[in-house]
Amino acid sequence: AAKGETAWLTSLDSTYNGNEFSYLVSPCFNFSDLTEDPVIELSIFRDLEADFDGAFLDLSTDDGDNWQRVGAIGEGLNWYTENNTQLGLGNVWSGNSKGWIPARHLLNGAAGNETVRLRFGIGADEFVAGEGFGIDDIRIRVPQANDFAAISAFSTGDALPCGIDDDRVVFSIANFGTEVQ
């Protein structure tokens, strides 16, 4: 698990199934009092065959009768890594995250609806399988006016055993808030 001792994973002790197509569906959320779409923040783990297998998050505003994909590649934080054309999954997380990483995105279209459900899905071909997909630390909240997040940080001397004399630390920061900064 990313934190604590429990998480939702495709498999606890082996690889996911070949030809897998499965979902984890949330309980119903009532966002009818919200005027702004909420944000979902979570930790994800992925070890999926790149270009063939993928995991995703869908949203329904009608209690699961219809579903739409949450977000696209390059949006939010650590949101989707490729467009899966092999299985027709669309935008998905694929490849290997090398451990648990944070992810976040607006739940576009959720505000004002009283029967919102989320579903995490995974699709796989029949051949190569990795350890799978995991989610943990899920939080859904109203977006804040001032909300900065560190996207990455690195040192210009990271590749050298002892760094360099004029080393610099480079930060990448994103504004996830509703106010222009």
Side-chain angles (χ1 to χ4, degrees):
K3 292 183 183 169
E5 297 179 11
T6 59
W8 285 289
L9 303 163
T10 51
S11 177
L12 294 176
D13 56 7
S14 66
T15 60
Y16 52 92
N17 300 316
N19 288 323
E20 176 141 0
F21 198 75
S22 58
Y23 298 107
L24 172 65
V25 180
S26 76
C28 192
F29 295 103
N30 183 345
F31 296 135
S32 61
D33 289 342
L34 297 183
T35 57
E36 292 182 68
D37 289 326
V39 173
I40 185 168
E41 299 174 321
L42 65 153
S43 295
I44 61 171
F45 169 88
R46 56 184 167 77
D47 181 15
L48 303 160
E49 182 187 16
D51 301 323
F52 295 93
D53 304 342
F56 52 87
L57 176 62
D58 289 337
L59 176 136
S60 172
T61 57
D62 56 10
D63 200 26
D65 288 337
N66 296 286
W67 296 93
Q68 64 185 18
R69 189 62 38 97
V70 173
I73 297 168
E75 294 180 349
L77 174 64
N78 292 322
W79 211 258
Y80 301 140
T81 56
E82 69 180 55
N83 180 11
N84 178 287
T85 58
Q86 296 293 328
L87 299 175
L89 298 175
N91 291 320
V92 296
W93 288 289
S94 193
N96 193 317
S97 61
K98 297 183 169 106
W100 290 94
I101 61 171
R104 73 191 276 173
H105 201 284
L106 274 177
L107 295 175
N108 295 316
N113 291 289
E114 62 182 344
T115 56
V116 176
R117 288 190 185 270
L118 302 172
R119 73 175 179 190
F120 288 91
I122 181 173
D125 68 8
E126 63 185 301
F127 302 108
V128 177
E131 287 197 26
F133 187 71
I135 58 173
D136 196 11
D137 300 328
I138 299 171
R139 295 169 304 283
I140 298 174
R141 63 176 177 79
V142 174
Q144 306 197 353
N146 297 308
D147 189 3
F148 285 104
I151 303 298
S152 65
F154 69 91
S155 166
T156 56
D158 279 348
L160 302 172
C162 293
I164 54 178
D165 289 341
D166 60 348
D167 206 354
R168 292 181 296 130
V169 177
V170 180
F171 293 96
S172 177
I173 299 172
N175 177 16
F176 289 108
T178 58
E179 293 292 319
V180 175
Q181 303 293 320

